[in-house]
């Protein structure tokens, strides 16, 4: 068994005054790309914020939250080691930042680059290679605010990739993207998995689960409802119970779709 990328043991966490998790335990080993799927309000964003150290769990006896094998992190170091692409980041990113600088800002986990940050020729070359790989090299001089949602998301992926992270955490990666942009983005995610990156995908959209992700964790009301092999977990019956509405699951080329049942 590979070492754990993520280890939550007996975690209690609040958002404001709302108790979201009480005694949550979940382990994701490196190499075990996983989707965490749940309805609105299940606790997905809270989980994401725990992993990115935007919020902290309540310190209780025996509880632990280990990321990449460590309990204590300098937040900036963690964010460069674990590529996190969230909607909050896309929303908060500086509109005036130029494309190339969005990628380079990953070195410092900053929003845009600043005059005190130094980049060598190699850094800029690497950023250019990543832009080519993601098909966004022609937008290097375009400001973030003048890009489409799909282009912005690719730049934020490039910003994460500049640090060669072993793992990436994706928050509803295709929300706001049209069909072409969605499938192109998913193709990139699929090739990253094939290259050996571990992906943790947090979503309520079944259709954006890449075929390469084999483990599915269903969460509901802050608890793990089911955790296992995709083929066994993503059934019509389980999803109907999870979302509290009759649903029918269909599978094509490894992708899942859901219809009203
Ligand atoms: N700032 C907040 N203050 C109080 N309660 C909150 C806050 N943010 C979220 N919550 C509550 O915490 C619970 C979990 O919310 P969370 O945002 O983690 O769910 P989610 O699965 O990400 O939902 P969605 O799919 O709608 O984004 C919900 O009951 C929500 O109402």
């Amino acid at each position: 068994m590979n070492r754990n990328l993520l280890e939550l043991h007996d975690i209690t966490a609040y958002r404001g005054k709302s108790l979201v998790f009480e005694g949550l335990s979940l382990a994701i080993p490196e190499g075990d790309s996983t989707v965490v799927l749940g309805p609105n309000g299940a606790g997905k964003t809270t989980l994401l914020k725990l992993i990115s150290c935007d919020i902290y769990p309540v310190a209780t006896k025996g509880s632990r939250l280990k990321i990449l094998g460590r309990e204590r992190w300098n937040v900036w170091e963690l964010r460069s080691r674990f590529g996190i692409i969230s909607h909050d980041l896309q929303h908060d990113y500086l509109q005036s930042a130029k494309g190339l600088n969005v990628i380079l800002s990953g070195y410092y986990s900053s929003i845009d680059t600043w005059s005190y940050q130094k980049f060598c020729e190699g850094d800029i070359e690497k950023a250019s290679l990543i832009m080519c790989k993601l098909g966004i090299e022609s937008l290097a001089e375009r400001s973030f605010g003048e890009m489409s949602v799909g282009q912005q998301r690719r730049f934020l992926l490039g910003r994460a990739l500049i640090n060669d992270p072993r793992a990436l955490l994706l928050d509803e990666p295709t929300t706001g993207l049209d069909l072409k942009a969605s499938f192109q983005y998913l193709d990139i995610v699929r090739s990253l998995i094939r290259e050996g990156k571990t992906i943790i995908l947090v979503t309520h959209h079944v259709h954006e689960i890449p075929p390469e992700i084999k483990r599915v964790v269903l969460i509901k009301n802050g608890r793990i409802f089911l955790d296992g092999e995709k083929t066994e977990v993503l059934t019509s019956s389980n999803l109907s119970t999870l979302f509290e509405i009759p649903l029918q699951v269909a599978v094509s080329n490894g992708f899942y779709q859901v219809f009203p049942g």
Side-chain angles (χ1 to χ4, degrees), residues 61-180:
K61 198 162 177 263
S63 70
R64 63 179 176 275
L65 169 54
K66 278 191 176 180
I67 306 165
L68 297 170
R70 275 167 52 184
E71 279 190 82
R72 291 184 192 283
W73 277 97
N74 168 315
V75 173
W76 307 111
E77 187 193 350
L78 170 66
R79 290 178 188 168
S80 65
R81 299 270 298 276
F82 200 139
I84 297 171
I85 298 130
S86 68
H87 289 271
D88 282 356
L89 175 64
Q90 186 160 359
H91 180 264
D92 295 344
Y93 206 89
L94 209 67
Q95 300 289 297
S96 58
K98 294 273 185 279
L100 172 65
N101 294 344
V102 175
I103 309 273
L104 290 171
S105 69
Y107 280 119
Y108 292 87
S109 297
S110 57
I111 302 290
D112 204 357
T113 55
W114 303 94
S115 53
Y116 65 87
Q117 298 172 342
K118 300 292 169 224
F119 302 99
C120 66
E121 250 176 57
D123 295 337
I124 294 167
E125 247 169 56
K126 186 170 176 190
S128 300
L129 282 175
I130 287 175
M131 285 190 288
C132 288
K133 182 174 174 178
L134 300 180
I136 47 177
E137 67 278 19
S138 63
L139 302 171
E141 290 304 312
R142 173 94 47 99
S143 63
F144 193 73
E146 289 171 354
M147 294 176 193
S148 72
V149 173
Q151 291 163 345
Q152 288 182 345
R153 208 156 296 154
R154 283 187 197 208
F155 271 95
L156 293 179
L157 179 58
R159 174 181 181 269
L161 292 176
I162 198 87
N163 293 303
D164 298 320
R166 296 203 302 266
L168 290 157
L169 180 60
L170 308 180
D171 176 14
E172 293 176 6
T174 68
T175 294
L177 306 193
D178 68 22
L179 286 174
K180 183 176 172 191

Side-chain angles (χ1 to χ4, degrees), residues 13-21 37-49 55 171-172 202-204 219 221-222:
Y14 283 81
R15 296 289 297 287
K17 289 187 177 159
S18 311
L19 174 64
V20 180
F21 297 130
L37 183 93
N40 292 134
K44 302 181 298 294
T45 307
T46 307
L47 179 65
L48 210 131
K49 285 182 182 292
I55 62 169
D171 176 14
E172 293 176 6
V202 178
T203 189
H204 50 235
I219 61 167
N221 299 327

Side-chain angles (χ1 to χ4, degrees), residues 6-11 24-27 47 50 64-65:
L6 205 62
E7 188 182 337
L8 290 88
H9 181 76
D10 204 10
I11 291 295
L24 180 79
S25 295
L26 173 69
L47 179 65
L50 279 169
R64 63 179 176 275
L65 169 54

